[in-house]
Amino acid sequence: MSLASLVMASSFARCEIRQLAVYVYPGGIKAPDAERHVVFYGRRGRPVRKPRFIPAQLAHQLARKLQAKRLGTVAVL
């Protein structure tokens, strides 16, 4: 197996769409048993009710902006 075929095979395994979620802890305590609320964000950077798939590059860009606001734990799934 050549190096070129390995590179091509690994590029197909990547997923280019992601979901963006923010975990909010109402009490401000990040304990394992603490209550948390999950807020999903859509393509326009606004909260949505259901999880939405968005392009990976946009998801990471919005995650950096949300992380700066210190709302909670930001995750790109």
Side-chain angles (χ1 to χ4, degrees), residues 15 17-23 38 40 51-54 59-60 74-77:
C15 180
I17 52 176
R18 301 274 195 258
Q19 294 175 346
L20 180 61
V22 177
Y23 298 100
V38 181
F40 290 99
R52 304 284 184 202
F53 288 108
I54 56 178
H60 289 287
V74 180
V76 178
L77 310 171

Side-chain angles (χ1 to χ4, degrees), residues 6 13-15 44-45:
L6 285 174
R14 266 188 354 208
C15 180
R44 297 180 186 214

Side-chain angles (χ1 to χ4, degrees), residues 1-73:
M1 192 176 264
S2 69
L3 180 61
S5 62
L6 285 174
V7 171
M8 288 180 67
S10 66
S11 67
F12 291 115
R14 266 188 354 208
C15 180
E16 294 297 331
I17 52 176
R18 301 274 195 258
Q19 294 175 346
L20 180 61
V22 177
Y23 298 100
V24 180
Y25 300 90
I29 300 171
K30 292 183 181 181
D33 58 345
E35 179 186 358
R36 72 177 183 191
H37 300 284
V38 181
V39 180
F40 290 99
Y41 281 78
R43 289 182 183 212
R44 297 180 186 214
R46 295 188 181 143
V48 293
R49 289 187 182 163
K50 292 193 241 177
R52 304 284 184 202
F53 288 108
I54 56 178
Q57 183 178 5
L58 179 61
H60 289 287
Q61 179 184 1
L62 292 172
R64 284 190 292 274
K65 288 182 180 180
L66 290 171
Q67 193 172 13
K69 292 183 181 181
R70 298 184 181 257
L71 300 173
T73 304

